[in-house]
Short mmCIF file of all heavy atoms in Angstrom, two decimals:
data_model
loop_
_atom_site.label_atom_id
_atom_site.label_comp_id
_atom_site.label_asym_id
_atom_site.label_seq_id
_atom_site.Cartn_x
_atom_site.Cartn_y
_atom_site.Cartn_z
N HIS A 192 17.27 53.38 -6.72
CA HIS A 192 16.77 54.23 -7.81
C HIS A 192 17.77 54.31 -8.97
O HIS A 192 17.79 55.27 -9.73
CB HIS A 192 16.43 55.64 -7.29
CG HIS A 192 15.44 55.65 -6.20
ND1 HIS A 192 14.13 55.31 -6.43
CD2 HIS A 192 15.55 55.91 -4.88
CE1 HIS A 192 13.48 55.38 -5.29
NE2 HIS A 192 14.30 55.74 -4.32
N GLY A 193 18.66 53.31 -9.06
CA GLY A 193 19.66 53.37 -10.12
C GLY A 193 20.62 54.51 -10.01
O GLY A 193 21.00 55.14 -11.00
N ASP A 194 21.09 54.81 -8.83
CA ASP A 194 21.97 55.92 -8.60
C ASP A 194 23.24 55.80 -9.37
O ASP A 194 24.05 54.89 -9.16
CB ASP A 194 22.27 55.95 -7.09
CG ASP A 194 23.23 57.11 -6.75
OD1 ASP A 194 23.52 57.95 -7.64
OD2 ASP A 194 23.68 57.20 -5.56
N PRO A 195 23.52 56.71 -10.37
CA PRO A 195 24.70 56.57 -11.22
C PRO A 195 25.98 56.83 -10.42
O PRO A 195 27.10 56.60 -10.90
CB PRO A 195 24.51 57.61 -12.31
CG PRO A 195 23.58 58.61 -11.72
CD PRO A 195 22.65 57.85 -10.76
N GLN A 196 25.88 57.36 -9.20
CA GLN A 196 27.06 57.66 -8.39
C GLN A 196 27.39 56.54 -7.41
O GLN A 196 28.29 56.66 -6.57
CB GLN A 196 26.84 58.99 -7.57
CG GLN A 196 26.51 60.19 -8.41
CD GLN A 196 27.57 60.45 -9.48
OE1 GLN A 196 28.77 60.40 -9.17
NE2 GLN A 196 27.15 60.78 -10.70
N ALA A 197 26.68 55.44 -7.52
CA ALA A 197 26.94 54.29 -6.59
C ALA A 197 28.35 53.79 -6.76
O ALA A 197 28.99 53.94 -7.78
CB ALA A 197 25.94 53.14 -6.88
N LYS A 198 28.87 53.20 -5.67
CA LYS A 198 30.28 52.71 -5.69
C LYS A 198 30.37 51.38 -6.44
O LYS A 198 29.39 50.63 -6.50
CB LYS A 198 30.75 52.52 -4.25
CG LYS A 198 30.80 53.86 -3.47
CD LYS A 198 31.28 53.62 -2.05
CE LYS A 198 31.30 54.91 -1.25
NZ LYS A 198 31.73 54.73 0.16
N PRO A 199 31.55 51.07 -6.96
CA PRO A 199 31.71 49.78 -7.64
C PRO A 199 31.50 48.66 -6.62
O PRO A 199 31.73 48.83 -5.45
CB PRO A 199 33.19 49.83 -8.10
CG PRO A 199 33.55 51.30 -8.10
CD PRO A 199 32.75 51.93 -7.06
N PRO A 200 31.07 47.40 -7.11
CA PRO A 200 30.82 47.12 -8.51
C PRO A 200 29.45 47.47 -8.96
O PRO A 200 29.11 47.34 -10.11
CB PRO A 200 30.98 45.56 -8.54
CG PRO A 200 30.44 45.13 -7.21
CD PRO A 200 30.92 46.18 -6.28
N SER A 201 28.63 48.06 -8.08
CA SER A 201 27.23 48.32 -8.36
C SER A 201 27.04 49.22 -9.57
O SER A 201 26.17 48.99 -10.39
CB SER A 201 26.55 48.95 -7.16
OG SER A 201 26.69 48.17 -6.00
N ARG A 202 27.83 50.26 -9.69
CA ARG A 202 27.58 51.22 -10.77
C ARG A 202 27.77 50.62 -12.18
O ARG A 202 27.35 51.18 -13.16
CB ARG A 202 28.43 52.42 -10.58
CG ARG A 202 29.95 52.24 -10.78
CD ARG A 202 30.68 53.50 -10.57
NE ARG A 202 32.12 53.36 -10.66
CZ ARG A 202 33.00 54.31 -10.35
NH1 ARG A 202 32.57 55.46 -9.92
NH2 ARG A 202 34.27 54.11 -10.49
N LEU A 203 28.48 49.49 -12.22
CA LEU A 203 28.66 48.80 -13.51
C LEU A 203 27.28 48.33 -14.10
O LEU A 203 27.19 48.04 -15.26
CB LEU A 203 29.61 47.61 -13.42
CG LEU A 203 31.02 47.96 -12.96
CD1 LEU A 203 31.86 46.66 -12.88
CD2 LEU A 203 31.69 48.88 -13.94
#
Side-chain angles (χ1 to χ4, degrees):
H192 301 293
D194 180 6
Q196 302 304 317
K198 296 179 180 179
S201 305
R202 68 180 177 188
L203 297 180

